[in-house]
Amino acid sequence: MTERYSRQQLFQPVGNKGQQQIRSKHVLVVGAGALGSASAEALVRAGIGKLTLVDRDYVEWSNLQRQQLYTEQDAQNKLPKAVAAKNRLRQINTEVKIEALVMDAQPANLESIVQTADVIIDATDNFDIRFILNDLSHKYEVPWIYGSCVGSYGATYTVIPNVTPCLHCILKKVPVGGATCETAGIISPAVQIVAAYQITEALKILVEDVEALRHTFLTFDVWNNQHAEFKTGKMKSDKCSSCGSIQTYPYLAYENQLKTEVLCGRETVQIRPSQRHLYNFDELEKRLKKQGKVDRNPYLLSCQLPEQRFVIFQDGRVFIHGTNDIQFARSLYYRLLG
């Protein structure tokens, strides 16, 4: 028994064999915010073999209250969350292979990663990506664990392909609207509870103790002392296009065009080019200095305009902070980068 994992190995459902299984497995965590930070740290401390982190955003001051891997220096430097997380996780456990990817969680980006993963952990902040994960999970038969939290509320559910109802079965379509951390706030305990449930389910899968998996959709409100679970078995639909008898994976369809979206709960528009575009930051900095104050690091360049902040990532994605107007954001994009 190695001293590092001795207390985990003393837990009978894990044991020596389970620890070896954990060490041989690969987990994909999509999102490196509050849930992603907590899940990634727990997995690295548990001795996972490989961890892949995918996130499109960078560290801001408002993240520090609940996103446990990040520091004031990360926010000051506007480090991409995946990079900042990897830096911290390396300090925690050098034995774990950590892959940090600064990119949008889209089918084309995720497909090859999912094929090599043993479990997917949802640490995202929107249902569009969750429905993509749901379809990828069933296409490649990789379990995934849904998780969400806002205010003092949280929810989690484990999806096992060919066994449980999928998220599409339960919700039928991508939900529109609803409270977000930007509108309702969030407290850290809600994050930690959801992450604890997600990681526990992930460990059960990794050590192949499938009998111990929870087959309910769990919700709670930690502030108001409420807790509820409902069984989902009868919700599985043979007509579901994601997990039914004829699987078409509708949320993996991709239109090869400029994609513009308002980020969940934020006064920010993301513009994603149809093809990956690598900018020359030196040339871009010279051009944008005429528009406003420019800051940069190896991963992104930001320009503070009078009323908006323009952030360009190395893969060509752009965040325009300070507006929810997609048409205005597009016109600003073409004016500065067109």
Side-chain angles (χ1 to χ4, degrees):
M1 185 189 305
T2 62
E3 181 63 26
R4 177 167 203 145
Y5 308 111
S6 61
R7 302 306 185 269
Q8 185 165 276
Q9 288 171 256
L10 284 170
F11 180 61
Q12 190 274 329
V14 175
N16 294 336
K17 180 182 177 183
Q19 190 62 48
Q20 291 172 4
Q21 289 172 313
I22 292 169
R23 187 74 185 90
S24 68
K25 300 294 176 64
H26 173 202
V27 177
L28 167 62
V29 177
V30 182
L35 286 176
S37 292
S39 295
E41 180 169 340
L43 287 164
V44 165
R45 290 188 184 279
I48 190 70
K50 180 179 178 181
L51 174 73
T52 298
L53 271 172
V54 173
D55 193 277
R56 64 184 176 184
D57 211 344
Y58 58 92
V59 182
E60 298 183 274
W61 289 94
S62 64
N63 302 149
L64 302 181
Q65 163 255 344
R66 67 198 177 281
Q67 299 183 17
Q68 66 191 53
L69 290 178
Y70 309 126
T71 66
E72 291 182 352
Q73 193 65 52
D74 295 329
Q76 201 164 21
N77 294 340
K78 294 184 175 65
L79 269 186
K81 290 181 181 178
V83 174
K86 181 177 180 179
N87 292 343
R88 174 60 180 146
L89 293 170
R90 274 178 167 172
Q91 295 176 325
I92 293 171
N93 193 340
T94 57
E95 298 175 357
V96 177
K97 182 177 180 181
I98 301 169
E99 183 178 30
L101 301 172
V102 184
M103 67 182 192
D104 223 3
Q106 295 297 317
N109 294 336
L110 293 175
E111 202 141 359
S112 62
I113 306 169
V114 169
Q115 292 179 59
T116 68
D118 295 288
V119 64
I120 306 163
I121 292 183
D122 161 37
T124 68
D125 61 2
N126 71 83
F127 279 95
D128 291 297
I129 298 175
R130 289 176 180 127
F131 273 68
I132 289 171
L133 295 180
N134 188 68
D135 275 6
L136 287 171
S137 161
H138 287 84
K139 183 175 181 179
Y140 295 106
E141 298 188 352
V142 179
W144 78 284
I145 305 166
Y146 160 78
S148 66
C149 47
V150 65
S152 58
Y153 168 88
T156 181
Y157 176 63
T158 303
V159 179
I160 308 296
N162 304 316
V163 176
T164 67
C166 74
L167 194 68
H168 196 180
C169 289
I170 293 171
L171 298 182
K172 309 304 180 187
K173 61 181 180 180
V174 176
V176 177
T180 70
C181 297
E182 293 287 321
T183 59
I186 186 168
I187 57 172
S188 183
V191 174
Q192 298 301 324
I193 293 170
V194 173
Y197 277 114
Q198 285 185 294
I199 291 302
T200 303
E201 291 290 280
L203 288 173
K204 294 173 188 177
I205 294 169
L206 295 174
V207 302
E208 300 173 11
D209 188 3
V210 294
E211 296 298 319
L213 287 168
R214 189 191 69 251
H215 296 295
T216 60
F217 193 107
L218 181 149
T219 67
F220 65 84
D221 186 329
V222 66
W223 196 270
N224 293 305
N225 307 307
Q226 297 172 350
H227 179 281
E229 294 181 66
F230 64 85
K231 295 180 179 179
T232 61
K234 294 182 180 179
M235 301 178 78
K236 187 168 178 59
S237 172
D238 188 56
K239 296 180 180 179
C240 176
S241 55
S242 296
C243 73
S245 56
I246 301 176
Q247 299 177 8
T248 58
Y249 313 117
Y251 296 96
L252 301 187
Y254 176 75
E255 295 179 5
N256 191 28
Q257 60 183 13
L258 188 72
K259 174 112 183 229
T260 309
E261 62 181 317
V262 178
L263 297 190
C264 178
R266 297 167 64 179
E267 196 179 19
T268 300
V269 173
Q270 174 182 258
I271 296 178
R272 175 165 49 85
S274 58
Q275 295 182 346
R276 183 180 173 87
H277 184 97
L278 296 178
Y279 286 105
N280 182 319
F281 275 9
D282 291 332
E283 293 180 2
L284 201 56
E285 182 175 8
K286 291 177 184 177
R287 190 198 315 179
L288 292 180
K289 272 185 175 179
K290 300 173 184 178
Q291 306 293 330
K293 184 178 183 297
V294 173
D295 293 305
R296 61 181 281 192
N297 60 42
Y299 311 99
L300 58 85
L301 182 148
S302 69
C303 178
Q304 184 62 55
L305 305 173
E307 297 184 9
Q308 285 80 35
R309 182 154 49 93
F310 201 76
V311 180
I312 304 105
F313 292 84
Q314 278 219 325
D315 62 1
R317 289 179 302 113
V318 173
F319 284 2
I320 301 174
H321 297 283
T323 182
N324 285 333
D325 187 330
I326 288 177
Q327 289 304 116
F328 170 77
R330 280 179 174 169
S331 66
L332 186 61
Y333 172 87
Y334 286 120
R335 178 164 68 85
L336 296 179
L337 298 179

